[in-house]
Amino acid sequence: MGMDRNTVIGFILLAVLFFGYFFYNRQDQLAAQMERARMDSIARANQPVISESDTASVKITPVGADSATADSVSNAFAGVYGTEEVLVLENDVLRISFTNKGGQPKMVELKSFLSLDSMPVKLVQNNGFDKISYAINTGENRSAQTADLYFQPAKIIRQDDGSQIISYSLELGNGQTVTHQYTLRRNDYMIDWNVELTGADRLLTQQSFNLVWQARAKQQEKDIRYEKQQSQITFWENNEFDYFNVFSRNSIKYENAVQWVSVKQQFFSQVLISKSPFAGGETNWEVPHDSIPLIASAITNLRMQVPVGTVANLPFQIYYGPNDYHLLKSYKLGLENNVNLGQGFYAFVKYVNKWLVLPLFDFFKSFIGSYGIVILLLTIVIRLLISPLTYSSYLSGARMKALRPELEALKKKLGDDQQAYAMEQMKLFREAGVNPLGGCIPALLQIPIFFALFSFFNSSVDLRGQNFLWSDDLSAYDSIAQLPFYIWGFGDHVSLFTLLAVITSFLISFLNMGMTPDQNNPMLKYMPYIFPIILLGIFNSLPSALTWYYTVSNLITLVLQFVIQRFIIKPEKILAKIEANRKKPKTQSKWQERLAQMQEAQKKMQEMKKGKQ
């Protein structure tokens, strides 16, 4: 079966949309990388080289400073001085080390997920930056950040339901007390954090509670560039979800009520939630150079007005865990939006993921242990569902091929008169009952499925760390060879799944390519060959789950093409159908009538011009 002009147009439209998608997702990142490179050059020229641990701290000023705390707090206040003590709360999925300095989490480990060092993923670490704090008045014209103060050592209380409670208190005298209580439930990534202020009217200035949350997102995946592309600052403002990619800008101002803010990486999130929404605030962050194993360092300032009174109870929650769609959705806070099933201009594909891809994936993984086989079965089912479109595309191509002798005859007859040829071509299509767009429309209708799967495989934490064949992690690229240098647009490795996807794409193009009326147009003639080559650069750094899917899909296409061409579509039957269509009375739509009238008018004008000459 040859490839007609409109099928090639379908390839071109597919390529335009495909590259547009990647351009949309990468343009801000490239601009940010250029700006960071410029700033790095300036910094290197003006400052000495410092250690990795130092560069990990952002340039924006963090809260608190022990050297200044004692000067700003009354000398009679015991919280300025103390000894740090750490207690550990642990359930099935989390291990949290709490410190009495600031009465806050000091280290958070996810027990079910491993980092690059084969140790549990750490979302909070003892690095001097990660902290939660707010200002309190400690005396006349004196204040301090709670993160710099030593709370009284706490004890762990274990409840009958398996939950654990740890409570820190800070006595300021004159009946003023600050209490931080944390509750960790069984098999849960969500922590309840309740702040109680006794003497709130004196502890807070004008009843204003200003919370500062500092969080670093450490590199967790092997490709830091790709992980940065998938990392965002997300938030729920004015009852709506919104986000900014970490490389697109470096600050956000919240003008409306904010319920939660999240530092979201590709597969993990840190989320600060308030049961009584904040009135507003801002988040500032920096993205360091790729040589530093850090995605971003963020400082979030949030404010709220505490009701007038001597006692204030402020309920918060903190989520430290994976971006698991079903788990996040169970909290009914809109947190499932942190799983990118489709965003921005391509947000419509999230419905394909929610209603088709995710249910199928969940069904197959419920009884199949290998995620590579799950993807194989998912691909087969999806291809079966779109098989009517595939058949329609092949049938349209076969009909166009059957008409090629007549189209070539028209070309010879009309010569260079392109307008007359177009009119006769349309007339021929109407007589034969052939839709000239039949080859490209089915291909275009499959594009949302590909983009949906692109989003799904990038965000599915289930695939993280899952090996299949030669890939040791289906959520990242597979590598059969490491290059000694980095090639822009390709990477520093060679992906075998990408090679297979490109080779099978080339085979499809080669088998489809035949005699076409547009052989004299190099763009239309060679586009099906150029497209697979361009895919080589784009696919090389994509998750191996996606390139494995694309390879399987291409193999299915080759099999279907062989079966349909050999056993289903018969040229003699197609010709008989075309002849039968020619004998039927023809009706034109209003659009076809107007087009024919325009073409006829243009033809007469050209004839008149030739007559005058």
Side-chain angles (χ1 to χ4, degrees), residues 125-423:
Q125 298 188 66
N126 181 20
N127 51 44
F129 183 85
D130 292 349
K131 62 182 69 175
I132 303 174
S133 187
Y134 54 92
I136 58 173
N137 297 322
T138 59
E140 187 176 353
N141 297 323
R142 295 177 183 272
S143 66
Q145 289 286 337
T146 57
D148 297 322
L149 304 177
Y150 290 90
F151 286 62
Q152 294 178 8
K155 293 184 179 180
I156 299 174
I157 301 174
R158 304 185 188 278
Q159 304 287 88
D160 293 338
D161 60 0
S163 62
Q164 304 169 68
I165 299 174
I166 188 170
S167 183
Y168 291 97
S169 63
L170 185 66
E171 302 288 342
L172 286 87
N174 298 322
Q176 300 175 76
T177 306
V178 177
T179 303
H180 290 179
Q181 184 183 83
Y182 298 90
T183 302
L184 179 64
R185 291 174 292 275
R186 296 181 58 184
N187 199 33
D188 197 351
Y189 292 97
M190 187 74 78
I191 306 165
D192 288 338
W193 175 39
N194 292 308
V195 176
E196 182 177 301
L197 303 176
T198 302
D201 52 339
R202 288 171 289 166
L203 289 171
L204 303 177
T205 301
Q206 298 180 346
Q207 301 298 119
S208 180
F209 183 82
N210 298 305
L211 186 68
V212 183
W213 176 40
Q214 297 181 185
R216 295 197 321 169
K218 182 186 175 184
Q219 178 187 356
Q220 304 292 350
E221 316 308 323
K222 65 180 180 181
D223 188 343
I224 191 168
R225 295 183 184 90
Y226 200 75
E227 188 177 1
K228 285 179 179 178
Q229 292 179 38
Q230 311 303 318
S231 298
Q232 301 170 330
I233 303 297
T234 64
F235 50 97
W236 191 266
E237 182 182 18
N238 204 22
N239 289 320
E240 290 184 354
F241 172 78
D242 207 348
Y243 67 95
F244 287 100
N245 297 319
V246 296
F247 54 76
S248 65
R249 55 192 294 176
N250 56 18
S251 66
I252 302 169
K253 287 189 178 295
Y254 310 115
E255 305 293 345
N256 301 297
V258 179
Q259 186 171 7
W260 56 261
V261 176
S262 171
V263 178
K264 176 248 174 186
Q265 296 175 242
Q266 183 174 5
F267 295 117
F268 305 101
S269 288
Q270 305 175 56
V271 190
L272 178 64
I273 306 159
S274 177
K275 294 184 179 180
S276 300
F278 294 99
E282 63 179 356
T283 298
N284 298 276
W285 68 92
E286 283 195 357
V287 180
H289 189 272
D290 292 340
S291 61
I292 299 172
L294 185 66
I295 304 301
S297 297
I299 296 180
T300 298
N301 294 271
L302 297 166
R303 63 181 184 275
M304 69 167 58
Q305 285 299 119
V306 175
V308 177
T310 58
V311 178
N313 288 290
L314 307 176
F316 301 101
Q317 290 181 301
I318 312 173
Y319 178 84
Y320 298 113
N323 296 329
D324 182 294
Y325 182 82
H326 299 296
L327 172 63
L328 293 175
K329 189 176 182 180
S330 68
Y331 295 116
K332 299 180 180 180
L333 295 169
L335 295 175
E336 67 273 14
N337 289 283
N338 268 8
V339 182
N340 179 9
L341 298 181
Q343 290 180 345
F345 183 76
Y346 294 86
F348 64 93
V349 303
K350 67 183 177 183
Y351 302 107
V352 179
N353 277 321
K354 289 180 181 179
W355 299 337
L356 176 63
V357 177
L358 191 56
L360 285 174
F361 186 83
D362 289 339
F363 171 72
F364 287 128
K365 79 172 186 180
S366 65
F367 60 89
I368 296 175
S370 170
Y371 279 86
I373 302 301
V374 169
I375 294 171
L376 172 67
L377 295 177
L378 176 68
T379 308
I380 292 173
V381 171
I382 289 176
R383 291 306 306 268
L384 286 174
L385 291 175
I386 64 175
S387 58
L389 295 177
T390 306
Y391 176 76
S392 174
S393 179
Y394 284 133
L395 184 60
S396 176
R399 287 173 176 171
M400 295 293 290
K401 183 179 180 181
L403 291 177
R404 278 177 186 156
E406 297 183 55
L407 291 172
E408 291 297 324
L410 283 176
K411 273 192 172 183
K412 291 179 180 179
K413 177 182 176 181
L414 300 173
D416 296 331
D417 192 342
Q418 294 297 325
Q419 187 172 2
Y421 174 75
M423 291 178 62

Side-chain angles (χ1 to χ4, degrees), residues 1-2 394 401 511-512 558 560-571:
M1 185 189 309
Y394 284 133
K401 183 179 180 181
L511 294 176
N512 278 342
L558 291 170
L560 286 176
Q561 183 172 324
F562 175 80
V563 172
I564 291 173
Q565 285 181 318
R566 183 64 62 91
F567 302 107
I568 298 177
I569 296 178
K570 302 294 183 181

